[in-house]
Amino acid sequence: MTQAFDAKGAVDTLYMFSCTLLLFSVVFGLSLFYSGLIQRRSSFTMLAIPMFLAALVFVDWYIWGYSLCYGSSSNHFIGSLKFAVLREIRSTGQDIYSTPRGDILAVVHFLFNGMMKVITVVITFPACIAERGRILPMLVFLFFWSTIVYNPVTYWIWNRNGWLSTERNSIPVLDFAGGNCIHIVGGFTGLVYSYYLGPRNPKILENYRSSSNANMVIGTVFTVYGWCGFIAGCDFKFSATTFYIIINTLLCASCAGISWSFIDYYNSATPLDGNIHDGNSSNSTTADGHLVPVSKKRCMSIISFCSGLISGLVVFTPCGGYLSTDISFWKSIVCGLVGGITGNMATRVKYWLGIDDALDVFAVHGICGIVGSLLVGVFADDLYNSKGGWVTHHWVQMGYQVLAVVVVSAYVCVVSLFLLYVVDIIPGLHLRIDKDFNRRMMANQNSDTESGENKEYSTRYELAELMGTDWYEFRGEYTMDFMEFIRSLNPNDYVEEVESKEHSGYQAETSDSIQDLRKRSA
């Protein structure tokens, strides 16, 4: 921290404050995006959770989060409590935070990086509990995760004394705006959390429909808008490079959206037998001469395009200013194309792993964050106190990038899994609404083979999960109250909508149980 402050510093600080305000639109955009992507019975939960998360994270950031990330320390792994509750900063209000990128007021640095942590949490945790997780245990887990996972990783890379910091220059990892600290941390946390919760109840997935594609589109627009300030703000100064960063961010996102959409458009005409046909209707003939349709007309998907845009933003996050010169626009195009293709392919990983990542956080943020971190090792120019990547013949940089990806991913997975186990065994803090679902799945038992007491116990929790997190967590506060009013008038129609006709016996039982559960909760 220094005390000098000139006119340029004032301009840079005002610019950084403007970028900080833009980050609020990212939080709002992600809330709308997740709310629109999920089913209507849980859409309000996705919209409301970020408010709770932002409040909790910002208090944590004020108390000790900022200090543990950016406070000077004698070790290379975690910061001190030098800046706890903003002491040594609030005394004068004129302290300057100096980096090779630029100099700004320390309090603005606190605000900007605090919002970056909020965005990390908003990216990760709503998707973790989608349609099956409880909020209170998630908040408890978040408190420990924030302190033990996010803060150390941020210190490693962005604190000048961190062991992966470019300023320390021992193992200089290039991460302009958070490929490791935000996306890899968030993506792998989401993967582990989804693994621990187990898959969603199959009854929830029948006739699956997103609650509002319009909200998803609007949320994507707000996210892209705010993300320009997110990446450009990490330059810490206002200059011509600011505009290059924004142009490259939009180029990368656009190319990723196009490539992702093209893959889904092409595959939309793929029949179940795996053979690709042209866009026209194709048929084969059975032995008795009847025609059997084997393909369908290709179609566009706004969900695919929005997902591609987000993946492009993620890929360019670690690249940022390292790839943003007046002659490097082609690099962002390559990054966007690679990011869109790998992000689309990565959505299949959850099926290979058998993990129900409901909103593809691991694919879009974890995998694309890794891709971006590796691409910066290839295309980085020798800027911001770095020696660049392969394009500047700094061949060892890729080794540093791979090391950071492996270490951060492993650390996040191991520590997060341990914290989830600890929270889950605390009485009253079971992470999943239907806490016996995984046990029943593993035992391959259904309610008919259990004792009467266990049958009622399992049905009660399963029923609560089937009713949706909006009903379970918020007791009737919904995104679209008209829809829920219709459901209250015709509960039997709602049950038939979400459950298979193969479970007709269970439907009658569940319909009666819904009425009984409503009476008890009234």
Side-chain angles (χ1 to χ4, degrees):
M1 299 289 180
T2 62
Q3 293 291 331
F5 198 63
D6 54 12
K8 185 180 184 306
V11 172
D12 292 341
T13 297
L14 182 60
Y15 163 71
M16 285 299 301
F17 181 67
S18 301
C19 291
T20 302
L21 296 180
L22 284 177
L23 299 188
F24 285 93
S25 68
V26 177
V27 175
F28 178 65
L30 289 171
S31 303
L32 282 176
F33 182 82
Y34 286 156
S35 176
L37 197 58
I38 209 70
Q39 294 187 94
R40 73 168 185 254
R41 77 187 78 192
S42 300
S43 63
F44 182 74
T45 304
M46 297 293 103
L47 193 63
I49 283 179
M51 297 181 63
F52 295 98
L53 296 176
L56 181 62
V57 168
F58 203 77
V59 171
D60 164 82
W61 189 247
Y62 165 75
I63 294 174
W64 63 9
Y66 178 73
S67 186
L68 292 177
C69 290
Y70 295 100
S72 58
S73 175
S74 59
N75 68 80
H76 305 302
F77 299 96
I78 189 67
S80 65
L81 295 179
K82 177 181 180 180
F83 301 135
V85 295
L86 291 186
R87 63 179 183 176
E88 297 193 22
I89 294 179
R90 61 184 178 180
S91 57
T92 64
Q94 296 294 318
D95 289 335
I96 306 300
Y97 191 89
S98 299
T99 71
R101 303 181 188 182
D103 301 333
I104 59 172
L105 277 177
V107 289
V108 178
H109 184 264
F110 165 85
L111 284 172
F112 182 78
N113 284 277
M115 285 305 302
M116 291 181 71
K117 185 174 183 179
V118 169
I119 289 173
T120 305
V121 172
V122 170
I123 284 172
T124 307
F125 286 89
C128 288
I129 66 171
E131 299 190 305
R132 62 197 188 279
R134 297 176 64 218
I135 294 179
L136 179 59
M138 180 263 290
L139 295 177
V140 175
F141 168 78
L142 169 62
F143 174 78
F144 294 105
W145 175 91
S146 171
T147 304
I148 303 176
V149 176
Y150 180 88
N151 292 342
V153 173
T154 301
Y155 180 90
W156 297 349
I157 296 175
W158 281 343
N159 191 296
R160 57 174 55 92
N161 199 37
W163 69 285
L164 298 177
S165 170
T166 55
E167 294 183 61
R168 185 168 178 265
N169 205 30
S170 175
I171 306 177
V173 174
L174 304 183
D175 190 350
F176 190 79
N180 287 277
C181 309
I182 295 176
H183 296 299
I184 294 179
V185 168
F188 278 88
T189 300
L191 181 72
V192 172
Y193 206 119
S194 298
Y195 164 76
Y196 195 90
L197 285 184
R200 286 169 289 178
N201 193 311
K203 300 183 182 72
I204 292 178
L205 301 179
E206 294 174 4
N207 194 28
Y208 190 99
R209 290 185 179 180
S210 299
S211 64
S212 174
N213 289 338
N215 281 353
M216 188 183 60
V217 172
I218 296 171
T220 303
V221 172
F222 274 99
T223 301
V224 174
Y225 168 71
W227 214 279
C228 292
F230 178 19
I231 300 181
C234 288
D235 193 32
F236 289 174
K237 62 181 179 295
F238 183 75
S239 64
T241 305
T242 301
F243 300 100
Y244 296 148
I245 292 174
I246 294 175
I247 292 171
N248 280 310
T249 300
L250 296 176
L251 275 175
C252 187
S254 300
C255 292
I258 292 171
S259 59
W260 187 306
S261 297
F262 178 79
I263 293 173
D264 282 353
Y265 175 78
Y266 186 73
N267 289 336
S268 64
T270 304
L272 295 178
D273 62 6
N275 297 320
I276 305 295
H277 300 273
D278 58 22
N280 300 321
S281 178
S282 302
N283 297 280
S284 61
T285 306
T286 61
D288 56 1
H290 291 88
L291 292 177
V292 179
V294 295
S295 69
K296 58 183 179 180
K297 183 180 181 298
R298 292 188 174 95
C299 56
M300 301 295 293
S301 170
I302 191 61
I303 296 178
S304 299
F305 184 69
C306 291
S307 299
L309 286 177
I310 300 296
S311 70
L313 297 176
V314 172
V315 168
F316 198 70
T317 297
C319 301
Y322 293 116
L323 273 63
S324 296
T325 63
D326 56 351
I327 58 173
S328 299
F329 297 112
W330 63 272
K331 297 178 182 178
S332 61
I333 295 176
V334 174
C335 290
L337 294 174
V338 173
I341 294 171
T342 55
N344 188 293
M345 296 294 104
T347 57
R348 289 124 172 106
V349 173
K350 64 182 181 182
Y351 300 111
W352 301 339
L353 298 176
I355 298 176
D356 186 7
D357 183 8
L359 299 180
D360 287 321
V361 171
F362 176 67
V364 175
H365 295 278
I367 298 298
C368 289
I370 292 175
V371 171
S373 295
L374 298 181
L375 287 175
V376 73
V378 176
F379 295 122
D381 294 308
D382 51 351
L383 303 171
Y384 303 103
N385 198 33
S386 74
K387 297 179 181 179
W390 283 2
V391 295
T392 60
H393 308 292
H394 188 225
W395 310 111
V396 73
Q397 187 60 49
M398 180 59 73
Y400 298 151
Q401 300 300 119
V402 172
L403 175 65
V405 166
V406 172
V407 171
V408 171
S409 302
Y411 178 79
V412 170
C413 288
V414 172
V415 177
S416 296
L417 190 60
F418 172 75
L419 292 176
L420 286 168
Y421 174 77
V422 171
V423 172
D424 194 40
I425 63 176
I426 298 175
L429 292 182
H430 54 93
L431 293 167
R432 180 161 182 157
I433 298 173
D434 184 6
K435 60 182 180 180
D436 288 330
F437 178 80
N438 292 323
R439 178 185 60 80
R440 296 198 308 271
M441 289 284 289
M442 292 178 63
N444 196 24
Q445 296 177 346
N446 55 47
S447 56
D448 293 334
T449 62
E450 296 176 347
S451 64
E453 181 181 356
N454 288 336
K455 177 180 177 181
E456 180 182 358
Y457 182 81
S458 299
T459 301
R460 178 161 55 93
Y461 281 98
E462 182 181 23
L463 178 60
E465 189 167 297
L466 292 176
M467 291 286 287
T469 55
D470 290 358
W471 180 89
Y472 180 82
E473 296 286 4
F474 294 98
R475 292 299 184 187
E477 296 179 358
Y478 298 101
T479 304
M480 296 180 291
D481 188 66
F482 175 75
M483 293 291 187
E484 302 308 323
F485 176 70
I486 296 298
R487 192 187 74 170
S488 298
L489 292 179
N490 302 286
N492 292 331
D493 293 343
Y494 177 79
V495 173
E496 291 174 0
E497 177 186 340
V498 299
E499 297 185 2
S500 169
K501 294 181 180 180
E502 298 176 359
H503 301 85
S504 56
Y506 182 83
Q507 288 180 13
E509 176 187 344
T510 305
S511 178
D512 295 338
S513 300
I514 289 176
Q515 300 291 352
D516 180 62
L517 198 58
R518 283 203 181 98
K519 292 178 182 178
R520 283 185 288 170
S521 62

